[in-house]
Amino acid sequence: MSKVSMGTAMSLGLQTEDDLSKDEKKRTSSNSLRLDIQQLGNSIENAINLTDSPKPEIWHECVSCRDNHLQDDMIKTKCSHFYCKACLVRLFKNALRDESLFPPQCCKRPIAASERMLGSTLVQKHKEKAIELNDPDRTYCSNSKCAQYLPRKPTRNRICKCTRCGVRTCRKCKKGDHQGTCVYKLDALLEELADSKQWQRCSNCSRLIELSTGCYHITCFCKYEFCYFCGKRWKTCKCSFADEENLYERDA
């Protein structure tokens, strides 16, 4: 077959090799674009499906009650243990009643007071209790029917007024408002009992302390350390470290 010139091919409406190459490139580009659009659509659809799909439920065992609970209804402590809401609330309420349990701990590490788990009221009570227990010389309302903790104030007045019942209390001797020097005097029956039991008084906060077992080294609730035998500040006396009879718990 004889060769056809470029001009003849164009006049006859025939496609040259260059035209065929251009058409092929256009088709390839078009197919590639359709493929990219399809892949983009699939990616968007997958993303929507992932967003709409429910989160997998994660359960953990509560270290206190040993029941399994949803992770969203639990709190994780610093030691990686989990507490359910009911057990956590009970733990914090017990700490408010018994200062030996305050602050609530797990593996000797304090547990954060989560408002989401405990509620704002219990968290506020926890904060107030922390202030009370960190007071080295606590004062409580002298009205025995009230006994409300009386927070320290910047003025440091000797007499403070209870915001609950209105009774005035002396911060120094912890008794009701009075004139003159503070006098530490127990009720007759209590004084007799304290003498017979050989209880010791903390010279810092005036609490009566009873030693049942152990050495003479006493750390009072107010954090003051003293010798139970003589009452002086710890390590300032020459008393023996302990009485052997008190080192071990006696048989009932």
Side-chain angles (χ1 to χ4, degrees):
M1 182 177 179
S2 61
K3 294 183 179 179
V4 181
S5 66
M6 181 69 68
T8 304
M10 293 178 65
S11 63
L12 293 176
L14 300 175
Q15 288 183 313
T16 64
E17 291 182 0
D18 290 341
D19 292 335
L20 291 173
S21 177
K22 290 179 180 179
D23 290 342
E24 184 66 28
K25 288 181 179 180
K26 287 181 181 180
R27 284 194 295 271
T28 302
S29 177
S30 178
N31 291 336
S32 177
L33 180 60
R34 282 196 297 270
L35 182 61
D36 290 342
I37 293 174
Q38 184 178 1
Q39 290 177 344
L40 178 61
N42 291 337
S43 298
I44 294 174
E45 185 178 357
N46 291 335
I48 293 174
N49 291 335
L50 288 175
T51 304
D52 294 340
S53 60
K55 295 181 180 179
E57 293 184 346
I58 302 176
W59 296 71
H60 292 285
E61 181 184 71
C62 173
V63 71
S64 180
C65 66
R66 298 298 181 182
D67 290 337
N68 290 324
H69 299 268
L70 282 171
Q71 179 174 289
D72 291 343
D73 298 329
M74 307 184 79
I75 188 173
K76 185 179 181 181
T77 63
K78 294 179 180 179
C79 53
S80 298
H81 288 136
F82 286 87
Y83 281 86
C84 69
K85 182 176 181 179
C87 289
L88 189 70
V89 168
R90 183 171 61 252
L91 191 65
F92 272 74
K93 285 185 175 180
N94 288 340
L96 293 178
R97 289 190 290 265
D98 184 352
E99 65 181 89
S100 67
L101 303 176
F102 194 95
Q105 298 181 11
C106 185
C107 298
K108 297 183 179 181
R109 296 182 181 182
I111 301 175
S114 168
E115 190 167 319
R116 177 180 67 86
M117 298 289 289
L118 302 172
S120 57
T121 301
L122 187 53
V123 169
Q124 182 60 32
K125 288 182 179 179
H126 178 269
K127 292 178 180 178
E128 293 172 356
K129 179 60 70 172
I131 294 174
E132 174 187 344
L133 299 186
N134 286 325
D135 186 345
D137 185 20
R138 289 177 245 164
T139 301
Y140 296 90
C141 179
S142 56
N143 178 6
S144 59
K145 294 181 179 180
C146 176
Q148 172 78 0
Y149 168 67
L150 305 177
R152 287 174 172 268
K153 294 184 178 180
T155 56
R156 300 182 67 85
N157 291 334
R158 182 177 65 85
I159 302 299
C160 54
K161 184 178 180 180
C162 179
T163 56
R164 177 186 289 178
C165 68
V167 170
R168 294 163 63 85
T169 302
C170 174
R171 287 192 178 278
K172 188 173 182 180
C173 66
K174 317 304 180 186
K175 302 290 185 179
D177 188 9
H178 62 84
Q179 299 295 325
T181 306
C182 297
V183 178
Y184 299 98
K185 186 176 181 180
L186 297 173
D187 294 336
L189 291 177
L190 182 57
E191 187 174 4
E192 183 179 347
L193 179 62
D195 289 340
S196 64
K197 296 291 186 179
Q198 296 183 332
W199 293 343
Q200 188 59 266
R201 182 187 290 279
C202 173
S203 59
N204 184 60
C205 70
S206 303
R207 280 187 176 88
L208 279 174
I209 305 294
E210 178 187 14
L211 174 66
S212 56
T213 58
C215 66
Y216 289 143
H217 181 195
I218 301 297
T219 301
C220 183
F221 287 107
C222 68
K223 310 303 181 185
Y224 182 76
E225 299 179 54
F226 64 93
C227 171
Y228 186 82
F229 187 79
C230 68
K232 293 182 179 180
R233 182 185 289 272
W234 184 243
K235 291 186 177 180
T236 62
C237 64
K238 296 182 180 180
C239 301
S240 59
F241 179 72
D243 185 340
E244 187 175 351
E245 293 183 1
N246 290 332
L247 287 178
Y248 304 99
E249 189 171 358
R250 302 167 187 168
D251 295 332

